[in-house]
Amino acid sequence: MCEGNESTVTEFFITGFKNIENFKISLFILFLLIYIVILLGNVFIIILVSTCHHLQVPMYLFLRNLSVADLMFTTNIMPNMLYLIVMGGGDMSITGCFIQYYVYCSSTYTQSLVLMVMAFDRYVAICHPLRYVALMNHKLCLHLTLWPWAICFVLFPIEVASLFQLRFCGSKIIEHYFCDLAPITAIASSDTSIVETEDLIFSIPLMLMPSVVVTISYFCIVMSILKISSIAGRWKAFSTCSAHLTIIFIFFGTQITIYTFPVGEDTFYGKTVKSLLYTVLTPFINPIIYSMRNKEIKRAMRLLLSKKVKRTSGIHPMFS
């Protein structure tokens, strides 16, 4: 219970972006266009992998998982962020705030685990090509597809349950554009050590372990590629994982930037800039890189578009 004249907080006020009145419309249009690109890019990848037979292989099935996690991650944050830009802030119930945090954490760490699985897939494909089909069998791929989702979405209700045990008295202002742990615990009136400890315990295996596995996998991949005698063979081997490697650098690079290199004295604007790196920039770049740098994805795009054109012109694909 709250003491004295302090009232119990039943909803939070999310400030969004401060002092943007002069370019509020420009920011709204920019982020709306980015969100549309994220939606269309990831939906297109999901459709391509689901409908093109030559993409029904482990690498692209894992990529489809990554696209689903990207969609969930951005849709959880960006529509409300657009609302906050237009309205200059907005109220959110405590339950709604904690649910947003739950989906945010679960989808973020799912992306981390999926990237780890994709790195393992590339390791087997390049370092053990003759055993690839036997090792990456249907049963293993099914487990590697489902477990990242199961682990993250089962673990984080524990942390959310601890959030519901916190008391909020007096201040209800969250100085951020979504419900993250730091701004929530900053206004809590009770001890936050339990939920912060749980967050640390979950973060170590779900972020540190994937980064270690990815690093080891690509070290082995590079060593294996260097053993290839011909330059053409080396380039072909590297090109099979170049898009994924780029995504890994962006995803884990932004995490390192956020937690290792603070901006200024961690002011409101510093926190906002760092958060935008992984809530907007990374999901925006992911589908673009896979669309532009992956030959199989581009081939699937051409096949799908050619079928659409032939159907529109009245020519059945079987007679083409």
Side-chain angles (χ1 to χ4, degrees):
M1 296 294 292
C2 296
E3 299 176 354
N5 295 326
E6 292 183 323
S7 58
T8 302
V9 173
T10 57
E11 63 181 13
F12 298 128
F13 180 79
I14 316 294
T15 61
F17 301 91
K18 296 180 179 179
N19 304 321
I20 60 168
E21 290 300 323
N22 294 333
F23 46 95
K24 180 168 65 176
I25 301 302
S26 300
L27 263 184
F28 176 83
I29 293 173
L30 173 63
F31 286 130
L32 177 61
L33 291 175
I34 289 174
Y35 182 51
I36 290 172
V37 170
I38 293 171
L39 285 179
L40 293 179
N42 283 297
V43 168
F44 202 42
I45 287 174
I46 292 169
I47 292 172
L48 285 176
V49 175
S50 301
T51 58
C52 296
H53 294 295
H54 74 280
L55 295 182
Q56 299 294 309
V57 294
M59 176 182 175
Y60 296 105
L61 296 178
F62 299 145
L63 174 59
R64 182 174 61 185
N65 255 21
L66 185 64
S67 292
V68 173
D70 266 349
L71 280 177
M72 184 176 297
F73 177 81
T74 52
T75 302
N76 178 52
I77 293 175
M78 290 197 71
N80 191 61
M81 183 179 77
L82 294 171
Y83 170 81
L84 295 175
I85 291 173
V86 173
M87 301 305 294
D91 293 321
M92 182 182 290
S93 68
I94 289 180
T95 300
C97 183
F98 292 169
I99 289 174
Q100 186 185 55
Y101 176 68
Y102 165 66
V103 176
Y104 159 71
C105 286
S106 299
S107 54
T108 298
Y109 289 116
T110 297
Q111 291 175 56
S112 177
L113 292 178
V114 171
L115 286 171
M116 178 185 72
V117 167
M118 293 175 75
F120 173 73
D121 174 74
R122 292 300 82 203
Y123 161 75
V124 176
I126 293 175
C127 298
H128 304 282
L130 299 179
R131 301 174 59 196
Y132 180 79
V133 175
L135 291 173
M136 299 300 293
N137 55 63
H138 176 73
K139 183 178 180 180
L140 178 60
C141 289
L142 184 62
H143 282 291
L144 293 176
T145 300
L146 296 178
W147 274 109
W149 295 95
I151 290 171
C152 294
F153 280 85
V154 169
L155 276 181
F156 281 97
I158 300 172
E159 186 175 336
V160 173
S162 297
L163 282 175
F164 275 105
Q165 302 304 312
L166 299 178
R167 295 195 310 275
F168 298 90
C169 304
S171 177
K172 68 170 190 175
I173 299 175
I174 291 182
E175 295 189 348
H176 208 17
Y177 59 90
F178 71 97
C179 291
D180 201 359
L181 183 63
I184 292 174
T185 55
I187 62 170
S189 302
S190 56
D191 182 29
T192 61
S193 59
I194 293 177
V195 68
E196 289 171 347
T197 301
E198 288 173 345
D199 185 67
L200 179 62
I201 291 172
F202 294 152
S203 298
I204 291 173
L206 295 178
M207 190 61 73
L208 182 60
M209 183 185 73
S211 63
V212 171
V213 171
V214 166
T215 301
I216 294 173
S217 297
Y218 272 98
F219 176 79
C220 295
I221 288 171
V222 170
M223 292 297 102
S224 181
I225 290 176
L226 291 177
K227 293 178 182 178
I228 300 174
S229 56
S230 67
I231 296 177
R234 290 179 185 177
W235 176 249
K236 183 178 179 181
F238 178 74
S239 65
T240 63
C241 56
S242 59
H244 177 244
L245 187 58
T246 306
I247 296 298
I248 284 173
F249 275 129
I250 293 170
F251 181 84
F252 289 107
T254 54
Q255 301 296 324
I256 292 171
T257 301
I258 290 162
Y259 294 108
T260 307
F261 303 104
V263 178
E265 296 181 356
D266 232 16
T267 62
F268 172 83
Y269 296 103
K271 294 175 184 176
T272 301
V273 169
K274 290 192 292 183
S275 296
L276 287 173
L277 285 174
Y278 65 91
T279 59
V280 176
L281 180 64
T282 302
F284 173 68
I285 293 176
N286 283 1
I288 294 175
I289 288 178
Y290 267 107
S291 299
M292 299 297 294
R293 299 194 61 179
N294 191 285
K295 292 181 180 179
E296 292 300 319
I297 291 290
K298 288 192 285 187
R299 176 190 168 198
M301 285 182 183
R302 288 194 294 268
L303 288 173
L304 185 63
L305 291 174
S306 65
K307 288 179 182 179
K308 293 292 183 184
V309 170
K310 289 171 184 176
R311 286 173 184 169
T312 304
S313 61
I315 303 175
H316 196 279
M318 70 177 291
F319 297 113
S320 60

